[in-house]
Amino acid sequence: MAKNPDEHQELGVTMNLVPEISNKVSGKHIYKKLQLGFSRAIALCCLSNLRHNIDGEIRALDASGCFGLAGVQWAKQFDTGVNIVINVAKGLKEIVETSLLQNQCKTSVKVLDEDSHVTMHSGKYMFIYLEAYGSAVTHFDAVFRSANHNGLVCITCTDTSVFQNKSPETARRLYGANLLQTEYYQELATRVIINNLVTAAARWNKGLKVLLCTFQEHGISVVCRVLRGPKNGNESMASLQNLVHCQLCQARCFLPVHRYIQNTRQLSICKCNSEGLEAPLMILGPMWGKDLFNKAFLFNLLHFGKMHRVPEKYCKLFFLMILESVCCDDQEAETCIVNEINRITFPEKKCCCKTETDNTEPKPKMLKLNATNEKNYDCKNNTKDIYDELQIMKQSSNIPFSVEETNTFQSSAPALFFDIRHHGIKGGNPPKLLSVIEELRSRGFKASKTHFNSCSVRTSADLLVFNDVLQKIWDKTLEAQ
Ligand SMILES: [Zn+2]
């Protein structure tokens, strides 16, 4: 089948990029929108998850403006149970309505072409997807006014360059935060966006539970559950913190929240000062200081991703995010988790993340809970938690998890990560990521890959330990030569 260059196909929907669209929306804007496939796949899986968890019809809003690709995808994938409203760019209403017909969408959809602030201020929704061109921050007030209790909000910002701190004034103006181009800037960005989500929600007496975050080349997405009530608002606000960052060595730690001025000299985050150097310690943020992921929610998304046949590369990302959110301190535990993901998310087949060469892949080993129970966990409480959670998962054959179960599986991953290219031995090649993870785990620390950056390690070890690990691996390499 010949592919029309003006046709965009995504998640079962074909969108004709007719000239009328390019007349109303700039080419750059369209290009950026088309790159956000992962964000729309997340939105689809979130809506599917919500539909599973909540009885009755769900009011879902695609507040993205532009040509309503996400909303059309929902209309195509869901026959019942969802009442969809799509807000598109001015003058594109008829085109999107035609597109719904062309894609044989069975659900009735209301298409609007008004300011999305107006749409959100004039109605309540259980699911809101907002995919902004640039920053979405000006919409946050409207989003949280509109979001129902226990509803989900999925926000995507595309102003990734702001977070590389190319213009600190812009970051300050839009997000009210101090940024820095650090090795972990992707996570910093995500946490600063959540800070803005939390404060916007709190003004409407609402709080949030962060379920998933991702930073891709073209956009940053955050998914959270909205919880009504000032108590929830206060709880979320209490998780906002500043981060102290040493500009010399890249060490960092969250600044404890105090009402009084503290002696910053007592903040010994690294040894730079004691080495006779006056280390400039920067205060970054404010930002979200708690977890970025919910393990059970990620499991659910992987399940629904498979159900809706989202592309393999997106399944892989969900998979990676689950491992990142667990951040094991033990190889065996990680292997068990991988097997468990295979078992409960892909019961009839092996994991979709394993590529075509299915018959050559080793069969996933079954989890041996009896054997693992006999292990001595005295020094590794964290691993014990993982095994306990796996037990619950094993007993719970009913994936997707319920909202209550989701609450028990909040991520236990440490905040922030180190990029192996920025540390270690001058002149030496960076070591293999897996050997660094292995060595950190052998010393009892949590360590895992991170989807934010393929050269980085998320770990509970501090910078001194991390550098020591790199040194040890380097020494071993020299010995071997
Ligand atoms: Zn330092």
Side-chain angles (χ1 to χ4, degrees):
M1 198 170 56
K3 218 180 150 191
N4 180 348
D6 294 330
E7 239 177 43
H8 178 72
Q9 292 189 334
E10 193 184 293
L11 299 176
V13 162
T14 307
M15 188 62 97
N16 285 314
L17 301 172
V18 291
E20 285 85 344
I21 293 184
S22 28
N23 288 345
K24 306 279 181 197
V25 191
S26 82
K28 238 162 83 182
H29 192 154
I30 295 175
Y31 171 78
K32 199 127 205 186
K33 286 273 170 188
L34 295 182
Q35 305 305 311
L36 298 173
F38 185 46
S39 164
R40 283 182 289 270
I42 291 175
L44 176 70
C45 298
C46 285
L47 185 53
S48 199
N49 186 42
L50 205 55
R51 200 165 150 263
H52 182 88
N53 281 335
I54 288 175
D55 299 327
E57 202 169 52
I58 293 165
R59 272 172 67 77
L61 171 68
D62 174 5
S64 308
C66 214
F67 42 81
L69 186 49
V72 179
Q73 287 167 353
W74 309 340
K76 171 91 185 173
Q77 301 267 356
F78 302 117
D79 289 351
T80 53
V82 190
N83 179 344
I84 301 169
V85 177
I86 307 178
N87 194 35
V88 298
K90 270 255 173 298
L92 293 185
K93 198 175 156 184
E94 281 77 28
I95 291 170
V96 175
E97 281 169 344
T98 316
S99 172
L100 284 160
L101 286 176
Q102 281 168 349
N103 283 291
Q104 294 160 351
C105 299
K106 293 164 204 151
T107 321
S108 70
V109 177
K110 190 171 170 190
V111 185
L112 304 169
D113 63 349
E114 58 189 22
D115 185 328
S116 55
H117 290 90
V118 175
T119 321
M120 288 188 274
H121 274 294
S122 44
K124 297 271 180 200
Y125 294 92
M126 204 62 192
F127 181 66
I128 298 175
Y129 176 62
L130 181 66
E131 181 190 278
Y133 178 67
S135 174
V137 75
T138 55
H139 292 81
F140 290 179
D141 266 345
V143 166
F144 288 106
R145 164 101 199 266
S146 177
N148 283 126
H149 178 62
N150 262 329
L152 295 184
V153 164
C154 177
I155 308 274
T156 299
C157 298
T158 58
D159 51 343
T160 47
S161 62
V162 171
F163 293 99
Q164 288 161 3
N165 209 27
K166 289 183 177 154
S167 155
E169 295 81 12
T170 311
R172 191 92 225 133
R173 194 176 67 242
L174 294 182
Y175 295 99
N178 285 325
L179 296 180
L180 187 70
Q181 170 61 304
T182 58
E183 58 183 323
Y184 53 85
Y185 83 93
Q186 300 95 329
E187 189 171 328
L188 194 64
T190 311
R191 289 178 180 278
V192 165
I193 291 175
I194 301 172
N195 177 81
N196 282 269
L197 288 170
V198 166
T199 49
R203 284 192 282 268
W204 294 111
N205 288 326
K206 290 171 183 172
L208 351 149
K209 202 168 241 323
V210 179
L211 300 173
L212 174 161
C213 303
T214 174
F215 188 113
Q216 303 295 313
E217 190 189 344
H218 297 279
I220 307 153
S221 303
V222 176
V223 179
C224 44
R225 176 167 290 127
V226 181
L227 302 167
R228 197 179 46 214
K231 193 171 151 264
N232 289 316
N234 293 345
E235 246 173 55
S236 301
M237 285 296 288
S239 304
L240 304 181
Q241 282 177 285
N242 282 101
L243 188 82
V244 182
H245 174 95
C246 171
Q247 271 195 297
L248 279 182
C249 71
Q250 312 273 310
R252 71 300 293 256
C253 77
F254 280 110
L255 193 63
V257 182
H258 291 298
R259 288 168 68 95
Y260 298 97
I261 295 170
Q262 301 290 304
N263 180 1
T264 48
R265 294 228 162 257
Q266 287 172 351
L267 265 178
S268 52
I269 69 164
C270 60
K271 285 185 171 169
C272 292
N273 276 329
S274 63
E275 282 164 4
L277 302 159
E278 196 58 38
L281 294 184
M282 287 193 70
I283 295 183
L284 306 180
M287 65 184 81
W288 175 250
K290 292 277 164 62
D291 311 323
L292 297 182
F293 304 104
N294 181 288
K295 289 176 252 179
F297 188 76
L298 285 168
F299 261 98
N300 285 1
L301 288 206
L302 187 54
H303 168 86
F304 289 113
K306 194 208 170 199
M307 209 173 88
H308 292 290
R309 298 176 185 282
V310 309
E312 188 114 333
K313 56 181 177 181
Y314 300 157
C315 282
K316 267 188 189 170
L317 271 167
F318 286 142
F319 195 94
L320 188 58
M321 284 155 108
I322 293 176
L323 294 182
E324 178 175 9
S325 71
V326 179
C327 198
C328 290
D329 60 359
D330 163 344
Q331 186 55 47
E332 194 187 337
E334 187 166 284
T335 311
C336 289
I337 289 165
V338 171
N339 292 340
E340 202 59 0
I341 295 172
N342 293 337
R343 187 185 70 82
I344 54 185
T345 343
F346 310 100
E348 79 277 24
K349 223 184 129 196
K350 275 169 275 169
C351 169
C352 80
C353 306
K354 299 214 169 133
T355 39
E356 307 83 65
T357 53
D358 255 356
N359 43 0
T360 58
E361 293 286 348
K363 280 207 166 141
K365 286 174 206 155
M366 285 309 289
L367 185 68
K368 289 178 191 159
L369 280 172
N370 293 339
T372 55
N373 282 344
E374 289 156 14
K375 277 189 87 165
N376 179 5
Y377 291 113
D378 287 348
C379 56
K380 286 190 176 181
N381 283 323
N382 156 47
T383 313
K384 185 178 181 318
D385 290 344
I386 293 169
Y387 280 110
D388 286 349
E389 285 176 2
L390 277 172
Q391 292 241 43
I392 301 172
M393 287 182 196
K394 197 167 170 60
Q395 284 152 11
S396 151
S397 52
N398 50 333
I399 281 277
F401 293 112
S402 66
V403 177
E404 293 71 36
E405 280 172 315
T406 310
N407 290 339
T408 25
F409 291 132
Q410 197 61 34
S411 160
S412 44
L416 307 175
F417 48 82
F418 298 109
D419 187 324
I420 52 171
R421 297 166 301 181
H422 291 219
H423 299 279
I425 321 309
K426 284 207 171 64
N429 289 331
K432 287 207 177 75
L433 204 62
L434 286 178
S435 53
V436 177
I437 291 173
E438 207 173 288
E439 177 64 26
L440 282 164
R441 284 177 181 166
S442 75
R443 297 187 189 196
F445 293 101
K446 289 176 160 220
S448 77
K449 290 182 187 173
T450 167
H451 87 283
F452 285 109
N453 180 341
S454 59
C455 293
S456 295
V457 178
R458 183 179 294 284
T459 177
S460 55
D462 64 16
L463 184 62
L464 291 176
V465 176
F466 187 75
N467 281 335
D468 191 55
V469 164
L470 296 186
Q471 180 70 48
K472 189 182 166 190
I473 294 172
W474 178 243
D475 290 346
K476 266 191 196 164
T477 324
L478 285 185
E479 274 171 32
Q481 277 169 8

